[in-house]
């Protein structure tokens, strides 16, 4: 994040997270990637800094702030370790935010403080084996009997589920009603009939757990229904709209890290008797990378500012997610080019960044889905 865009308090937050990321996240990133395991050390660090509750009111155990602060936290975390930022985003912008924004007062008081403080991790389960983009077609069912809901079905690709205290789950109570039949529930860890199977073998963000989650007559008490029956799809779409800004911020952090590694390497690697940074071809690559990172950062901050100021932000959020995710895939690829053969080996951080970046055009709405959202808006603006 260039500091010109930030006020003094935001700059302090940026410095705080950047120092933590440089000191703790980045040095562990390679090991976390190799082990393919959730890092409790990283989680402890994030919670000690208050990042697990950023954007959440202190009344519910959070650190306060809005989307601008969340963008700074996600971006600087990703700059140090992309897996840690994925864990944070699934916990905060997806799981905890759904309870915080749509839960009733009793639920917020009972569930949010533990999550915002980082004592517990949250997960968010929408995607199913049958498809993620067409979320309204989900098949997991919820049936009410004597004041208890019973869940049956399965979810896939659920980040954090293996370590989560609370999983926000979307299930249909009436398939004939389409998306209006969907409700949202909080399923606590250890619930009967809840089975969590880690999905190993990811290309990137390997330190962030991804899981299949199965429900077999899993009972959910009535006081864990979030908001109203039949409103779950609306909550899910609202959450994805805002979380897109935070994923865009993650992408900015990836691009920034790839750029910084490339600059450092270009200044010390010599060919033909001079640093490669003195060759114009490398300078042009660095210029393109810096420009792309800056453009993505600007639109991401714009979307966050619009959201914080209660202005329409949905199109900008989709544009930010689309631009920034495609940017970080391109920029991390260019970073490998700058590093030459060394960039192709695991010892090079840019090799990991390239693998980590790849998922960002897929999760929280693929690039194709973002284009659908943007096109719908733009075409509407010019109709009549
Ligand atoms: C590492 C990882 C972590 C994840 N974490 C979570 C999580 O915590 N919680 C959660 O609920 N989900 C999570 N997901 C799921 C993710 O959001 C979905 O993978 C994503 O929404 C795409 O769904 P899909 O994989 O079923 O692809 P599909 O929906 O089957 O799409 C396949 C392809 O078809 C394209 N396509 C689909 N429909 C259209 C259309 N109408 N027009 C044009 N193109 C279209 C897509 O863009 C894509 O290219 C995660 C995924 C990954 C990989």
């Amino acid at each position: 994040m260039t500091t010109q865009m930030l006020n003094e308090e935001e700059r302090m937050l940026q410095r705080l997270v950047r120092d933590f990321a440089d000191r703790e996240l980045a040095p562990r990133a390679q090991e976390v990637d190799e082990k393919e395991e959730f890092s409790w050390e990283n989680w402890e660090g994030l919670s000690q800094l208050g990042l697990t509750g950023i954007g959440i009111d202190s009344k519910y155990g959070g650190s306060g702030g809005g989307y601008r602060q969340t963008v700074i936290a996600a971006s600087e975390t990703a700059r140090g370790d992309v897996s840690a930022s994925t864990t944070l985003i699934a916990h905060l912008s997806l799981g905890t935010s759904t309870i915080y924004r749509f839960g009733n007062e009793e639920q917020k008081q009972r569930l949010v403080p533990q999550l915002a403080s980082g004592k517990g991790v949250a997960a968010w389960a929408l995607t199913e084996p049958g498809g993620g983009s067409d979320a309204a077609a989900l098949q997991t069912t919820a049936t009410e009997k004597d004041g208890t809901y019973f869940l049956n079905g399965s979810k896939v690709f659920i980040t954090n589920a293996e370590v989560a205290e609370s999983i926000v789950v979307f299930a249909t109570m009436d398939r004939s009603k389409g998306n209006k039949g969907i409700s949202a529930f909080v399923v606590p860890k250890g619930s009967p009939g809840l089975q969590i199977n880690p999905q190993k073998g990811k290309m990137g963000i390997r330190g962030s757990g991804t899981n299949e989650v199965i429900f077999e007559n899993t009972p959910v008490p009535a006081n864990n229904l979030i908001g109203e029956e039949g409103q779950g799809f609306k909550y899910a779409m609202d959450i994805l709209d805002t979380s897109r800004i935070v994923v865009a911020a993650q992408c900015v952090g990836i691009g920034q890290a790839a750029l910084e590694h490339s600059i450092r390497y270009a200044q010390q690697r010599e060919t033909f008797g001079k640093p490669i940074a003195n060759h114009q071809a490398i300078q042009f690559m660095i210029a393109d990378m810096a420009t792309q990172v800056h453009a993505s950062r600007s639109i991401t901050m714009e979307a966050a500012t619009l959201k914080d100021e209660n202005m329409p932000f949905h199109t900008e959020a989709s544009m930010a997610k689309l631009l920034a995710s495609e940017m970080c895939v391109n920029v991390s690829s260019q970073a490998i080019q700058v590093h030459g053969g060394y960039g192709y080996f695991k010892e090079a951080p840019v090799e990991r960044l390239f693998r980590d970046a790849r998922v960002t055009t897929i999760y929280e709405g693929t690039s194709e889905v973002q284009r659908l959202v943007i096109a719908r808006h733009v075409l509407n603006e010019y109709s009549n």
Side-chain angles (χ1 to χ4, degrees):
M1 206 67 55
T2 45
T3 49
Q4 298 96 298
M5 287 179 197
L6 308 179
N7 64 33
E8 188 45 40
E9 262 181 43
E10 291 169 344
R11 270 187 227 132
M12 277 169 59
L13 173 66
Q14 183 191 43
R15 272 197 298 275
L16 187 79
V17 187
R18 185 168 281 207
D19 287 350
F20 161 71
D22 284 341
R23 202 178 54 247
E24 297 199 32
L25 298 180
R28 281 199 286 267
Q30 188 180 353
E31 188 191 339
V32 165
D33 176 66
E34 276 166 13
K35 281 191 177 160
E36 203 178 359
E37 274 173 12
F38 184 88
S39 165
W40 284 107
E41 267 178 308
N42 286 350
W43 180 256
E44 294 290 319
L46 291 168
S47 61
Q48 274 165 19
L49 284 188
L51 304 182
T52 50
I54 207 153
I56 304 222
D57 200 313
S58 56
K59 187 175 159 197
Y60 303 105
S63 327
Y67 275 85
R68 285 179 66 94
Q69 285 72 21
T70 310
V71 160
I72 295 167
S75 165
E76 295 300 328
T77 301
R79 184 182 153 276
D81 178 30
V82 188
S83 292
S85 65
T86 299
T87 299
L88 182 65
I89 293 168
H91 159 83
L92 184 62
S93 320
L94 295 179
T96 306
S97 287
T98 306
I99 307 170
Y100 177 61
R101 285 175 52 195
F102 302 110
N104 60 33
E105 194 51 37
E106 182 278 322
Q107 290 169 333
K108 288 202 276 190
Q109 289 191 17
R110 174 164 54 92
L111 299 165
V112 175
Q114 188 200 29
L115 301 172
S117 64
K119 291 196 183 86
V121 181
W124 194 82
L126 177 67
T127 306
E128 300 195 348
S133 304
D134 186 7
L138 63 80
Q139 299 291 310
T140 298
T141 57
T143 318
E144 198 264 345
K145 193 171 178 244
D146 302 330
T148 300
Y149 296 93
F150 291 88
L151 301 192
N152 282 286
S154 64
K155 302 283 179 181
V156 284
F157 304 143
I158 308 308
T159 303
N160 294 347
E162 84 283 18
V163 291
E165 284 294 316
S166 296
I167 308 178
V168 172
V169 179
F170 297 87
T172 178
M173 298 188 62
D174 185 348
R175 282 204 195 106
S176 70
K177 288 188 179 163
N179 67 36
K180 294 197 170 61
I182 295 172
S183 301
F185 304 89
V186 180
V187 177
K189 170 174 113 174
S191 292
L194 171 66
Q195 200 185 316
I196 294 166
N197 303 319
Q199 294 176 278
K200 295 285 185 186
K202 288 202 299 291
M203 173 195 283
I205 56 161
R206 289 158 53 84
S208 135
T210 309
N211 304 273
E212 176 191 39
V213 180
I214 299 173
F215 309 95
E216 273 179 22
N217 268 334
T218 302
V220 180
N223 65 353
N224 275 13
L225 167 77
I226 302 176
E228 290 172 35
E229 282 184 6
Q231 294 296 304
F233 186 76
K234 187 181 160 300
Y235 303 154
M237 294 304 113
D238 275 11
I239 286 291
L240 286 174
D241 277 340
T242 45
S243 192
R244 267 164 204 160
I245 304 172
V246 190
V247 175
Q250 172 183 51
C251 300
V252 171
I254 299 173
Q256 182 69 33
L259 173 65
E260 288 176 19
H261 283 297
S262 300
I263 293 170
R264 278 197 293 273
Y265 189 78
Q267 287 171 338
Q268 55 91 10
R269 172 73 170 172
E270 293 194 359
T271 67
F272 300 92
K274 55 184 176 184
I276 60 170
N278 290 7
H279 298 304
Q280 200 177 46
I282 298 291
Q283 290 173 1
F284 280 15
M285 270 195 260
I286 302 274
D288 285 346
M289 292 161 80
T291 306
Q292 290 177 57
V293 174
H294 187 82
S296 296
R297 178 186 295 127
S298 299
I299 193 171
T300 301
M301 224 33 179
E302 185 196 353
T305 307
L306 290 171
K307 170 66 187 148
D308 284 344
E309 292 180 359
N310 294 320
M311 312 257 286
F313 68 95
H314 301 82
T315 311
E316 288 77 4
S318 277
M319 286 175 170
K321 203 278 181 174
L322 174 64
L323 192 74
S325 59
E326 301 207 335
M327 173 281 288
C328 74
V329 172
N330 290 335
V331 165
S332 59
S333 172
Q334 279 182 311
I336 292 179
Q337 195 67 19
V338 171
H339 282 70
Y342 292 104
Y344 198 64
F345 281 81
K346 285 207 185 297
E347 291 76 49
V350 291
E351 184 268 350
R352 188 181 60 254
L353 285 170
F354 179 66
R355 288 186 286 107
D356 288 347
R358 192 61 191 84
V359 74
T360 63
T361 65
I362 297 170
Y363 63 19
E364 300 217 21
T366 62
S367 286
E368 292 70 36
V369 167
Q370 305 309 330
R371 287 187 170 95
L372 287 174
V373 173
I374 297 163
R376 196 182 312 133
H377 176 85
V378 174
L379 291 168
N380 267 348
E381 250 192 354
Y382 286 89
S383 65
N384 305 318

